[in-house]
Amino acid sequence: QVQLLESGGGLVQAGGSLRLSCAASGRIFSINTMGWYRQAPGKQRELVASMPSGGFANYADSVKGRFTISRDNAKNTVYLQMNSLKPEDTAVYYCSLDQWFLSVIQNFWGQGTQVTVTS
C-alpha cells in the first residue's frame, strides 16, 4: 500500500500564492506518475497537473502559466506551486500516485487539502 500526505492548503486572497506538498510512503515503485487533482463544490474532480517520474509535466489549460508542478523523486514528494490564484481555483486539492504492478495500474489518493481564494 501507498500513503499520501498533503500539506500547504489554506486561505489566500486573489492574486496570492500557495505551495502544496505531498509526501508518498509505502510500497512505491520507481516508475510512477504523481499529480494533483481538485474538486470544487458541485463539480467533478478534475486534473490540475501531473508529472511522471521521468517525464514532462502536464497541466490543465486553466492553470497553465500560473501553476508549476515539481517532484523530488529521492523523497517521493510532489509539489504544486500556485501563483496568481483566482477565486475559481477554490477547491479541495488531492494528491494522486499511479504505478504499475504486475500489469495492473494501482491508483492512490491523499485525503485532500482545502484551498480557498477570496476576491
Side-chain angles (χ1 to χ4, degrees):
Q1 279 295 77
V2 172
Q3 295 78 41
L4 301 174
L5 182 62
E6 300 132 334
S7 61
L11 178 69
V12 65
Q13 286 189 329
S17 298
L18 283 174
R19 187 188 193 216
L20 305 182
S21 300
C22 173
S25 60
R27 193 175 185 182
I28 301 166
F29 302 116
S30 59
I31 300 174
N32 58 67
T33 296
M34 296 187 76
W36 292 94
Y37 288 72
R38 66 187 180 186
Q39 187 166 18
K43 294 187 177 181
Q44 289 189 327
R45 191 174 296 189
E46 63 176 1
L47 173 70
V48 176
S50 65
M51 179 178 277
S53 48
F56 297 99
N58 176 50
Y59 295 95
D61 288 342
S62 59
V63 307
K64 283 181 181 177
R66 300 188 298 122
F67 291 9
T68 302
I69 188 171
S70 60
R71 46 184 300 170
D72 183 336
N73 291 329
K75 296 181 179 179
N76 291 318
T77 299
V78 65
Y79 306 94
L80 186 68
Q81 177 66 42
M82 305 185 293
N83 298 328
S84 302
L85 282 161
K86 304 175 181 180
E88 51 263 43
D89 294 318
T90 295
V92 177
Y93 284 69
Y94 297 91
C95 176
S96 74
L97 184 148
D98 296 332
Q99 62 184 13
W100 288 94
F101 178 65
L102 298 178
S103 301
V104 175
I105 190 165
Q106 298 179 323
N107 175 243
F108 301 96
W109 293 94
Q111 80 286 355
T113 185
Q114 177 70 46
V115 171
T116 302
V117 184
T118 60
S119 57

